[in-house]
Amino acid sequence: MPDNIFVTRPHLPPLDEFKSHLDKIWETGVLTNCGPYHQELERALCEFLDVPHIALFNNGTIALVTALLALGVRGEVITTPFSFVATSHAVFWTGSVPVFVDVDPVSLNLDPAAIEAAITDKTAAILAVHCYGHPADVDAIDAIGAKHNIPVVYDAAHAFGVRCHCGSVLTHGDMSVLSFHATKVFNTFEGGAIVCKTGEMKDYIDKLKNFGHDGETRVVETGINGKLSEVNAAFGLIQLKHINAAIERRGTIDTTYRKAFSDLAGIACLPDAGQIAANYAYFPIRVTSEFPMSRDDLFYHMKAHGVHPRRYFYPLIPEFPMYAHLPSANIDALPNAALGSQEILCLPIYDTLAPDDVDRVIALIRDAARTA
Ligand code: T4K
């Protein structure tokens, strides 16, 4: 049996580069609480991502919760059913309630018309996702937020480094939230960040992520512990040196898959959503009714042959028990998300995925089409 191929593998820079930073951390004994590596990574990321202010976090989920808290969001939050469950969980943890509306049938990102139709006097925010790193319709969503005077937060967990028609996609809305989890394009083992617009807001977020401390003896908010450690931050600095090459390699794999499936009935690649700079975080295909096997049969067939794609995002968030009772969780009212959830398969994509392994994934799908 050949080696297993997983949907992703973390980018790991040369270990020696990391060791020199570990030596320094051992020397200084500064392990956490926003030390020099933390500060340096914030500066480096602002520059690399072309954004004004970044506050690092210990993961994307705590960053999402903190972003909503920092904006004072309390009430109903219009969001997508088609995402990783952390998107809705973050809403829940702030004491708010998610209101699910349908996604666009092609991009699988929130449909602005559906957002607009769902706004009521209870709406406290819009939480949109750049699903797979493909930009949401930021102009339309920002305009809805402005028109109704409600904050817009983008869950940009998949969108590290993505640029759209007007520069970094992370500058849209009131805040954007990144994840630096091991499975992401840029990782710090665990980690995340909030991108915000002003120095005052960054100061406030920095207090919120440090128990609400404002100096040694003053506590001004019921904050949380959201700090990224020095080890994680140092790792991030090394990652950053290699990130362009890693994204480039992902881009080559993306092109190879698109070419390989261009003539295969029943396999449809998601369009790239018009990014100016993509990050190729995921490679979603739709397995449509024209394919001789169902999406799930293809999924299990591939797994039986040592290739492990993922059905991101199946089930839909509103199908999970803690959300299923909500009025907006009626799946019949979310047909585009429901179809996406039944058809999508995310294929392996990561910088160290060997060309032979890419060919193996392609051959497995093409053979399945021929022999089913
Ligand atoms: N918003 C969105 C839209 C998100 O997608 C996420 C996270 C968040 C918010 C929350 O951000 P964080 O709080 O996580 O920073 C994974 C990740 O755990 C999760 O971070 C991610 N989204 C989600 C889409 O995917 P799983 O359950 O699929 O991960 P897992 O452990 O099955 O890993 C997938 C594959 O990756 C494995 O088969 C092998 C490989 N892998 C994984 C890990 C953890 C490795 O090779 N090494 C590793 O250390 O959730």
PDB file of all heavy atoms in Angstrom, residues 2-35:
ATOM      1  N   PRO A   2       0.692   2.166  -0.967  1.00  0.00           N
ATOM      2  CA  PRO A   2       1.515   3.387  -0.953  1.00  0.00           C
ATOM      3  C   PRO A   2       1.181   4.264   0.260  1.00  0.00           C
ATOM      4  O   PRO A   2       0.186   4.039   0.941  1.00  0.00           O
ATOM      5  CB  PRO A   2       1.122   4.089  -2.264  1.00  0.00           C
ATOM      6  CG  PRO A   2      -0.128   3.449  -2.717  1.00  0.00           C
ATOM      7  CD  PRO A   2      -0.280   2.129  -2.041  1.00  0.00           C
ATOM      8  N   ASP A   3       2.043   5.253   0.500  1.00  0.00           N
ATOM      9  CA  ASP A   3       1.838   6.136   1.661  1.00  0.00           C
ATOM     10  C   ASP A   3       0.483   6.836   1.595  1.00  0.00           C
ATOM     11  O   ASP A   3      -0.038   7.103   0.508  1.00  0.00           O
ATOM     12  CB  ASP A   3       2.916   7.234   1.678  1.00  0.00           C
ATOM     13  CG  ASP A   3       4.249   6.657   2.108  1.00  0.00           C
ATOM     14  OD1 ASP A   3       4.264   5.505   2.615  1.00  0.00           O
ATOM     15  OD2 ASP A   3       5.257   7.354   1.918  1.00  0.00           O
ATOM     16  N   ASN A   4      -0.040   7.172   2.770  1.00  0.00           N
ATOM     17  CA  ASN A   4      -1.262   7.972   2.822  1.00  0.00           C
ATOM     18  C   ASN A   4      -0.986   9.397   2.340  1.00  0.00           C
ATOM     19  O   ASN A   4       0.090   9.945   2.601  1.00  0.00           O
ATOM     20  CB  ASN A   4      -1.769   8.037   4.262  1.00  0.00           C
ATOM     21  CG  ASN A   4      -2.451   6.754   4.676  1.00  0.00           C
ATOM     22  OD1 ASN A   4      -3.339   6.271   3.967  1.00  0.00           O
ATOM     23  ND2 ASN A   4      -2.054   6.184   5.796  1.00  0.00           N
ATOM     24  N   ILE A   5      -1.964   9.965   1.671  1.00  0.00           N
ATOM     25  CA  ILE A   5      -1.883  11.387   1.289  1.00  0.00           C
ATOM     26  C   ILE A   5      -3.048  12.094   1.981  1.00  0.00           C
ATOM     27  O   ILE A   5      -4.212  11.736   1.759  1.00  0.00           O
ATOM     28  CB  ILE A   5      -2.005  11.574  -0.235  1.00  0.00           C
ATOM     29  CG1 ILE A   5      -0.930  10.764  -0.973  1.00  0.00           C
ATOM     30  CG2 ILE A   5      -1.909  13.043  -0.605  1.00  0.00           C
ATOM     31  CD1 ILE A   5      -1.066  10.826  -2.500  1.00  0.00           C
ATOM     32  N   PHE A   6      -2.717  13.090   2.800  1.00  0.00           N
ATOM     33  CA  PHE A   6      -3.758  13.787   3.563  1.00  0.00           C
ATOM     34  C   PHE A   6      -4.160  15.085   2.862  1.00  0.00           C
ATOM     35  O   PHE A   6      -3.442  15.576   1.991  1.00  0.00           O
ATOM     36  CB  PHE A   6      -3.262  14.057   4.985  1.00  0.00           C
ATOM     37  CG  PHE A   6      -3.039  12.778   5.746  1.00  0.00           C
ATOM     38  CD1 PHE A   6      -1.762  12.256   5.896  1.00  0.00           C
ATOM     39  CD2 PHE A   6      -4.115  12.071   6.267  1.00  0.00           C
ATOM     40  CE1 PHE A   6      -1.560  11.057   6.567  1.00  0.00           C
ATOM     41  CE2 PHE A   6      -3.929  10.879   6.938  1.00  0.00           C
ATOM     42  CZ  PHE A   6      -2.640  10.358   7.096  1.00  0.00           C
ATOM     43  N   VAL A   7      -5.280  15.630   3.290  1.00  0.00           N
ATOM     44  CA  VAL A   7      -5.786  16.859   2.651  1.00  0.00           C
ATOM     45  C   VAL A   7      -4.767  17.985   2.774  1.00  0.00           C
ATOM     46  O   VAL A   7      -4.631  18.834   1.891  1.00  0.00           O
ATOM     47  CB  VAL A   7      -7.157  17.253   3.255  1.00  0.00           C
ATOM     48  CG1 VAL A   7      -7.050  17.691   4.705  1.00  0.00           C
ATOM     49  CG2 VAL A   7      -7.825  18.325   2.423  1.00  0.00           C
ATOM     50  N   THR A   8      -4.017  17.969   3.868  1.00  0.00           N
ATOM     51  CA  THR A   8      -2.961  18.959   4.026  1.00  0.00           C
ATOM     52  C   THR A   8      -1.865  18.417   4.935  1.00  0.00           C
ATOM     53  O   THR A   8      -2.069  17.424   5.647  1.00  0.00           O
ATOM     54  CB  THR A   8      -3.515  20.293   4.577  1.00  0.00           C
ATOM     55  OG1 THR A   8      -2.503  21.291   4.476  1.00  0.00           O
ATOM     56  CG2 THR A   8      -3.969  20.189   6.018  1.00  0.00           C
ATOM     57  N   ARG A   9      -0.728  19.051   4.851  1.00  0.00           N
ATOM     58  CA  ARG A   9       0.376  18.813   5.781  1.00  0.00           C
ATOM     59  C   ARG A   9       0.934  20.186   6.109  1.00  0.00           C
ATOM     60  O   ARG A   9       0.993  21.072   5.255  1.00  0.00           O
ATOM     61  CB  ARG A   9       1.482  17.949   5.154  1.00  0.00           C
ATOM     62  CG  ARG A   9       1.030  16.559   4.765  1.00  0.00           C
ATOM     63  CD  ARG A   9       0.745  15.656   5.937  1.00  0.00           C
ATOM     64  NE  ARG A   9       1.951  15.200   6.610  1.00  0.00           N
ATOM     65  CZ  ARG A   9       1.987  14.818   7.889  1.00  0.00           C
ATOM     66  NH1 ARG A   9       0.897  14.882   8.631  1.00  0.00           N
ATOM     67  NH2 ARG A   9       3.102  14.391   8.423  1.00  0.00           N
ATOM     68  N   PRO A  10       1.359  20.384   7.367  1.00  0.00           N
ATOM     69  CA  PRO A  10       1.835  21.730   7.719  1.00  0.00           C
ATOM     70  C   PRO A  10       3.138  22.087   7.024  1.00  0.00           C
ATOM     71  O   PRO A  10       3.975  21.201   6.803  1.00  0.00           O
ATOM     72  CB  PRO A  10       2.039  21.645   9.228  1.00  0.00           C
ATOM     73  CG  PRO A  10       2.074  20.199   9.570  1.00  0.00           C
ATOM     74  CD  PRO A  10       1.389  19.443   8.479  1.00  0.00           C
ATOM     75  N   HIS A  11       3.277  23.361   6.709  1.00  0.00           N
ATOM     76  CA  HIS A  11       4.566  23.829   6.211  1.00  0.00           C
ATOM     77  C   HIS A  11       5.542  23.886   7.383  1.00  0.00           C
ATOM     78  O   HIS A  11       5.290  24.563   8.379  1.00  0.00           O
ATOM     79  CB  HIS A  11       4.440  25.205   5.565  1.00  0.00           C
ATOM     80  CG  HIS A  11       5.764  25.750   5.154  1.00  0.00           C
ATOM     81  ND1 HIS A  11       6.430  25.275   4.049  1.00  0.00           N
ATOM     82  CD2 HIS A  11       6.578  26.659   5.722  1.00  0.00           C
ATOM     83  CE1 HIS A  11       7.591  25.888   3.957  1.00  0.00           C
ATOM     84  NE2 HIS A  11       7.703  26.740   4.958  1.00  0.00           N
ATOM     85  N   LEU A  12       6.647  23.183   7.271  1.00  0.00           N
ATOM     86  CA  LEU A  12       7.666  23.183   8.333  1.00  0.00           C
ATOM     87  C   LEU A  12       8.983  23.686   7.759  1.00  0.00           C
ATOM     88  O   LEU A  12       9.574  23.029   6.907  1.00  0.00           O
ATOM     89  CB  LEU A  12       7.850  21.759   8.887  1.00  0.00           C
ATOM     90  CG  LEU A  12       6.691  21.222   9.725  1.00  0.00           C
ATOM     91  CD1 LEU A  12       6.852  19.744  10.017  1.00  0.00           C
ATOM     92  CD2 LEU A  12       6.557  22.007  11.031  1.00  0.00           C
ATOM     93  N   PRO A  13       9.440  24.845   8.220  1.00  0.00           N
ATOM     94  CA  PRO A  13      10.722  25.364   7.730  1.00  0.00           C
ATOM     95  C   PRO A  13      11.886  24.529   8.267  1.00  0.00           C
ATOM     96  O   PRO A  13      11.680  23.711   9.174  1.00  0.00           O
ATOM     97  CB  PRO A  13      10.758  26.785   8.288  1.00  0.00           C
ATOM     98  CG  PRO A  13       9.813  26.811   9.412  1.00  0.00           C
ATOM     99  CD  PRO A  13       8.803  25.728   9.193  1.00  0.00           C
ATOM    100  N   PRO A  14      13.103  24.718   7.732  1.00  0.00           N
ATOM    101  CA  PRO A  14      14.237  23.934   8.222  1.00  0.00           C
ATOM    102  C   PRO A  14      14.372  24.063   9.748  1.00  0.00           C
ATOM    103  O   PRO A  14      14.349  25.171  10.291  1.00  0.00           O
ATOM    104  CB  PRO A  14      15.436  24.556   7.505  1.00  0.00           C
ATOM    105  CG  PRO A  14      14.855  25.229   6.308  1.00  0.00           C
ATOM    106  CD  PRO A  14      13.477  25.655   6.685  1.00  0.00           C
ATOM    107  N   LEU A  15      14.537  22.907  10.404  1.00  0.00           N
ATOM    108  CA  LEU A  15      14.553  22.882  11.873  1.00  0.00           C
ATOM    109  C   LEU A  15      15.684  23.734  12.447  1.00  0.00           C
ATOM    110  O   LEU A  15      15.534  24.369  13.502  1.00  0.00           O
ATOM    111  CB  LEU A  15      14.659  21.422  12.343  1.00  0.00           C
ATOM    112  CG  LEU A  15      14.479  21.144  13.824  1.00  0.00           C
ATOM    113  CD1 LEU A  15      13.163  21.730  14.350  1.00  0.00           C
ATOM    114  CD2 LEU A  15      14.514  19.637  14.095  1.00  0.00           C
ATOM    115  N   ASP A  16      16.822  23.769  11.766  1.00  0.00           N
ATOM    116  CA  ASP A  16      17.966  24.534  12.269  1.00  0.00           C
ATOM    117  C   ASP A  16      17.616  26.010  12.445  1.00  0.00           C
ATOM    118  O   ASP A  16      18.086  26.660  13.368  1.00  0.00           O
ATOM    119  CB  ASP A  16      19.155  24.417  11.310  1.00  0.00           C
ATOM    120  CG  ASP A  16      19.873  23.093  11.528  1.00  0.00           C
ATOM    121  OD1 ASP A  16      19.578  22.441  12.559  1.00  0.00           O
ATOM    122  OD2 ASP A  16      20.680  22.715  10.661  1.00  0.00           O
ATOM    123  N   GLU A  17      16.804  26.528  11.517  1.00  0.00           N
ATOM    124  CA  GLU A  17      16.427  27.952  11.620  1.00  0.00           C
ATOM    125  C   GLU A  17      15.641  28.196  12.910  1.00  0.00           C
ATOM    126  O   GLU A  17      15.784  29.239  13.554  1.00  0.00           O
ATOM    127  CB  GLU A  17      15.567  28.364  10.425  1.00  0.00           C
ATOM    128  CG  GLU A  17      16.333  28.378   9.113  1.00  0.00           C
ATOM    129  CD  GLU A  17      15.475  28.896   7.968  1.00  0.00           C
ATOM    130  OE1 GLU A  17      14.529  29.675   8.204  1.00  0.00           O
ATOM    131  OE2 GLU A  17      15.763  28.495   6.817  1.00  0.00           O
ATOM    132  N   PHE A  18      14.826  27.222  13.294  1.00  0.00           N
ATOM    133  CA  PHE A  18      14.013  27.370  14.496  1.00  0.00           C
ATOM    134  C   PHE A  18      14.887  27.254  15.744  1.00  0.00           C
ATOM    135  O   PHE A  18      14.687  27.968  16.728  1.00  0.00           O
ATOM    136  CB  PHE A  18      12.911  26.313  14.486  1.00  0.00           C
ATOM    137  CG  PHE A  18      11.818  26.504  15.511  1.00  0.00           C
ATOM    138  CD1 PHE A  18      11.387  27.779  15.879  1.00  0.00           C
ATOM    139  CD2 PHE A  18      11.200  25.423  16.098  1.00  0.00           C
ATOM    140  CE1 PHE A  18      10.374  27.962  16.805  1.00  0.00           C
ATOM    141  CE2 PHE A  18      10.176  25.590  17.028  1.00  0.00           C
ATOM    142  CZ  PHE A  18       9.765  26.863  17.383  1.00  0.00           C
ATOM    143  N   LYS A  19      15.892  26.363  15.668  1.00  0.00           N
ATOM    144  CA  LYS A  19      16.729  26.105  16.852  1.00  0.00           C
ATOM    145  C   LYS A  19      17.421  27.377  17.331  1.00  0.00           C
ATOM    146  O   LYS A  19      17.559  27.605  18.530  1.00  0.00           O
ATOM    147  CB  LYS A  19      17.759  25.028  16.542  1.00  0.00           C
ATOM    148  CG  LYS A  19      17.175  23.617  16.663  1.00  0.00           C
ATOM    149  CD  LYS A  19      18.267  22.579  16.529  1.00  0.00           C
ATOM    150  CE  LYS A  19      17.697  21.172  16.545  1.00  0.00           C
ATOM    151  NZ  LYS A  19      18.412  20.268  15.651  1.00  0.00           N
ATOM    152  N   SER A  20      17.850  28.213  16.395  1.00  0.00           N
ATOM    153  CA  SER A  20      18.565  29.419  16.827  1.00  0.00           C
ATOM    154  C   SER A  20      17.628  30.342  17.628  1.00  0.00           C
ATOM    155  O   SER A  20      18.042  30.993  18.591  1.00  0.00           O
ATOM    156  CB  SER A  20      19.172  30.148  15.629  1.00  0.00           C
ATOM    157  OG  SER A  20      18.142  30.601  14.811  1.00  0.00           O
ATOM    158  N   HIS A  21      16.362  30.368  17.246  1.00  0.00           N
ATOM    159  CA  HIS A  21      15.393  31.168  18.019  1.00  0.00           C
ATOM    160  C   HIS A  21      15.129  30.532  19.382  1.00  0.00           C
ATOM    161  O   HIS A  21      14.965  31.233  20.382  1.00  0.00           O
ATOM    162  CB  HIS A  21      14.086  31.313  17.250  1.00  0.00           C
ATOM    163  CG  HIS A  21      14.195  32.220  16.059  1.00  0.00           C
ATOM    164  ND1 HIS A  21      14.602  33.521  16.157  1.00  0.00           N
ATOM    165  CD2 HIS A  21      13.962  32.000  14.753  1.00  0.00           C
ATOM    166  CE1 HIS A  21      14.609  34.077  14.954  1.00  0.00           C
ATOM    167  NE2 HIS A  21      14.234  33.167  14.086  1.00  0.00           N
ATOM    168  N   LEU A  22      15.097  29.205  19.405  1.00  0.00           N
ATOM    169  CA  LEU A  22      14.876  28.525  20.694  1.00  0.00           C
ATOM    170  C   LEU A  22      16.036  28.832  21.649  1.00  0.00           C
ATOM    171  O   LEU A  22      15.820  29.078  22.838  1.00  0.00           O
ATOM    172  CB  LEU A  22      14.739  27.016  20.495  1.00  0.00           C
ATOM    173  CG  LEU A  22      13.447  26.553  19.807  1.00  0.00           C
ATOM    174  CD1 LEU A  22      13.444  25.039  19.629  1.00  0.00           C
ATOM    175  CD2 LEU A  22      12.212  26.987  20.579  1.00  0.00           C
ATOM    176  N   ASP A  23      17.262  28.835  21.117  1.00  0.00           N
ATOM    177  CA  ASP A  23      18.429  29.184  21.948  1.00  0.00           C
ATOM    178  C   ASP A  23      18.203  30.536  22.618  1.00  0.00           C
ATOM    179  O   ASP A  23      18.457  30.718  23.799  1.00  0.00           O
ATOM    180  CB  ASP A  23      19.700  29.266  21.091  1.00  0.00           C
ATOM    181  CG  ASP A  23      20.188  27.876  20.682  1.00  0.00           C
ATOM    182  OD1 ASP A  23      19.759  26.901  21.332  1.00  0.00           O
ATOM    183  OD2 ASP A  23      20.973  27.784  19.715  1.00  0.00           O
ATOM    184  N   LYS A  24      17.718  31.477  21.819  1.00  0.00           N
ATOM    185  CA  LYS A  24      17.520  32.832  22.333  1.00  0.00           C
ATOM    186  C   LYS A  24      16.444  32.849  23.430  1.00  0.00           C
ATOM    187  O   LYS A  24      16.597  33.528  24.465  1.00  0.00           O
ATOM    188  CB  LYS A  24      17.111  33.748  21.176  1.00  0.00           C
ATOM    189  CG  LYS A  24      17.361  35.187  21.449  1.00  0.00           C
ATOM    190  CD  LYS A  24      17.514  35.933  20.166  1.00  0.00           C
ATOM    191  CE  LYS A  24      17.800  37.392  20.435  1.00  0.00           C
ATOM    192  NZ  LYS A  24      17.740  38.146  19.198  1.00  0.00           N
ATOM    193  N   ILE A  25      15.380  32.111  23.193  1.00  0.00           N
ATOM    194  CA  ILE A  25      14.292  32.066  24.183  1.00  0.00           C
ATOM    195  C   ILE A  25      14.808  31.436  25.488  1.00  0.00           C
ATOM    196  O   ILE A  25      14.518  31.925  26.582  1.00  0.00           O
ATOM    197  CB  ILE A  25      13.073  31.299  23.611  1.00  0.00           C
ATOM    198  CG1 ILE A  25      12.410  32.144  22.506  1.00  0.00           C
ATOM    199  CG2 ILE A  25      12.056  30.969  24.701  1.00  0.00           C
ATOM    200  CD1 ILE A  25      11.358  31.434  21.687  1.00  0.00           C
ATOM    201  N   TRP A  26      15.628  30.401  25.356  1.00  0.00           N
ATOM    202  CA  TRP A  26      16.213  29.770  26.555  1.00  0.00           C
ATOM    203  C   TRP A  26      17.118  30.763  27.306  1.00  0.00           C
ATOM    204  O   TRP A  26      17.136  30.817  28.521  1.00  0.00           O
ATOM    205  CB  TRP A  26      17.029  28.539  26.147  1.00  0.00           C
ATOM    206  CG  TRP A  26      16.324  27.230  26.426  1.00  0.00           C
ATOM    207  CD1 TRP A  26      16.735  26.265  27.279  1.00  0.00           C
ATOM    208  CD2 TRP A  26      15.094  26.754  25.852  1.00  0.00           C
ATOM    209  NE1 TRP A  26      15.833  25.219  27.283  1.00  0.00           N
ATOM    210  CE2 TRP A  26      14.807  25.487  26.424  1.00  0.00           C
ATOM    211  CE3 TRP A  26      14.183  27.266  24.927  1.00  0.00           C
ATOM    212  CZ2 TRP A  26      13.685  24.736  26.090  1.00  0.00           C
ATOM    213  CZ3 TRP A  26      13.067  26.518  24.594  1.00  0.00           C
ATOM    214  CH2 TRP A  26      12.830  25.281  25.170  1.00  0.00           C
ATOM    215  N   GLU A  27      17.842  31.557  26.511  1.00  0.00           N
ATOM    216  CA  GLU A  27      18.777  32.532  27.089  1.00  0.00           C
ATOM    217  C   GLU A  27      18.035  33.619  27.880  1.00  0.00           C
ATOM    218  O   GLU A  27      18.376  33.943  29.002  1.00  0.00           O
ATOM    219  CB  GLU A  27      19.500  33.202  25.915  1.00  0.00           C
ATOM    220  CG  GLU A  27      20.910  33.643  26.131  1.00  0.00           C
ATOM    221  CD  GLU A  27      21.401  34.207  24.792  1.00  0.00           C
ATOM    222  OE1 GLU A  27      21.795  33.421  23.898  1.00  0.00           O
ATOM    223  OE2 GLU A  27      21.316  35.437  24.632  1.00  0.00           O
ATOM    224  N   THR A  28      16.952  34.150  27.246  1.00  0.00           N
ATOM    225  CA  THR A  28      16.272  35.291  27.873  1.00  0.00           C
ATOM    226  C   THR A  28      15.247  34.848  28.915  1.00  0.00           C
ATOM    227  O   THR A  28      14.924  35.618  29.830  1.00  0.00           O
ATOM    228  CB  THR A  28      15.500  36.124  26.828  1.00  0.00           C
ATOM    229  OG1 THR A  28      14.497  35.276  26.229  1.00  0.00           O
ATOM    230  CG2 THR A  28      16.418  36.664  25.748  1.00  0.00           C
ATOM    231  N   GLY A  29      14.707  33.657  28.747  1.00  0.00           N
ATOM    232  CA  GLY A  29      13.648  33.207  29.659  1.00  0.00           C
ATOM    233  C   GLY A  29      12.326  33.916  29.425  1.00  0.00           C
ATOM    234  O   GLY A  29      11.393  33.766  30.212  1.00  0.00           O
ATOM    235  N   VAL A  30      12.210  34.667  28.337  1.00  0.00           N
ATOM    236  CA  VAL A  30      10.913  35.310  28.029  1.00  0.00           C
ATOM    237  C   VAL A  30      10.108  34.339  27.166  1.00  0.00           C
ATOM    238  O   VAL A  30      10.437  34.117  25.994  1.00  0.00           O
ATOM    239  CB  VAL A  30      11.112  36.658  27.285  1.00  0.00           C
ATOM    240  CG1 VAL A  30       9.750  37.276  26.959  1.00  0.00           C
ATOM    241  CG2 VAL A  30      11.931  37.618  28.129  1.00  0.00           C
ATOM    242  N   LEU A  31       9.073  33.757  27.738  1.00  0.00           N
ATOM    243  CA  LEU A  31       8.305  32.711  27.057  1.00  0.00           C
ATOM    244  C   LEU A  31       6.988  33.228  26.477  1.00  0.00           C
ATOM    245  O   LEU A  31       6.480  32.678  25.505  1.00  0.00           O
ATOM    246  CB  LEU A  31       7.986  31.561  28.027  1.00  0.00           C
ATOM    247  CG  LEU A  31       9.149  30.951  28.809  1.00  0.00           C
ATOM    248  CD1 LEU A  31       8.677  29.716  29.557  1.00  0.00           C
ATOM    249  CD2 LEU A  31      10.312  30.591  27.889  1.00  0.00           C
ATOM    250  N   THR A  32       6.424  34.255  27.107  1.00  0.00           N
ATOM    251  CA  THR A  32       5.100  34.722  26.648  1.00  0.00           C
ATOM    252  C   THR A  32       4.846  36.140  27.157  1.00  0.00           C
ATOM    253  O   THR A  32       5.784  36.836  27.558  1.00  0.00           O
ATOM    254  CB  THR A  32       3.999  33.722  27.098  1.00  0.00           C
ATOM    255  OG1 THR A  32       2.756  34.116  26.492  1.00  0.00           O
ATOM    256  CG2 THR A  32       3.856  33.642  28.604  1.00  0.00           C
ATOM    257  N   ASN A  33       3.575  36.549  27.135  1.00  0.00           N
ATOM    258  CA  ASN A  33       3.123  37.891  27.537  1.00  0.00           C
ATOM    259  C   ASN A  33       3.675  38.983  26.628  1.00  0.00           C
ATOM    260  O   ASN A  33       4.224  39.987  27.075  1.00  0.00           O
ATOM    261  CB  ASN A  33       3.450  38.174  29.010  1.00  0.00           C
ATOM    262  CG  ASN A  33       2.501  37.418  29.929  1.00  0.00           C
ATOM    263  OD1 ASN A  33       1.696  36.637  29.447  1.00  0.00           O
ATOM    264  ND2 ASN A  33       2.603  37.627  31.223  1.00  0.00           N
ATOM    265  N   CYS A  34       3.505  38.734  25.308  1.00  0.00           N
ATOM    266  CA  CYS A  34       3.785  39.760  24.290  1.00  0.00           C
ATOM    267  C   CYS A  34       5.242  40.222  24.345  1.00  0.00           C
ATOM    268  O   CYS A  34       5.513  41.434  24.399  1.00  0.00           O
ATOM    269  CB  CYS A  34       2.809  40.920  24.410  1.00  0.00           C
ATOM    270  SG  CYS A  34       1.086  40.357  24.492  1.00  0.00           S
ATOM    271  N   GLY A  35       6.151  39.269  24.300  1.00  0.00           N
ATOM    272  CA  GLY A  35       7.580  39.560  24.316  1.00  0.00           C
ATOM    273  C   GLY A  35       8.112  39.993  22.967  1.00  0.00           C
ATOM    274  O   GLY A  35       7.338  40.305  22.051  1.00  0.00           O
TER     275      GLY A  35
END
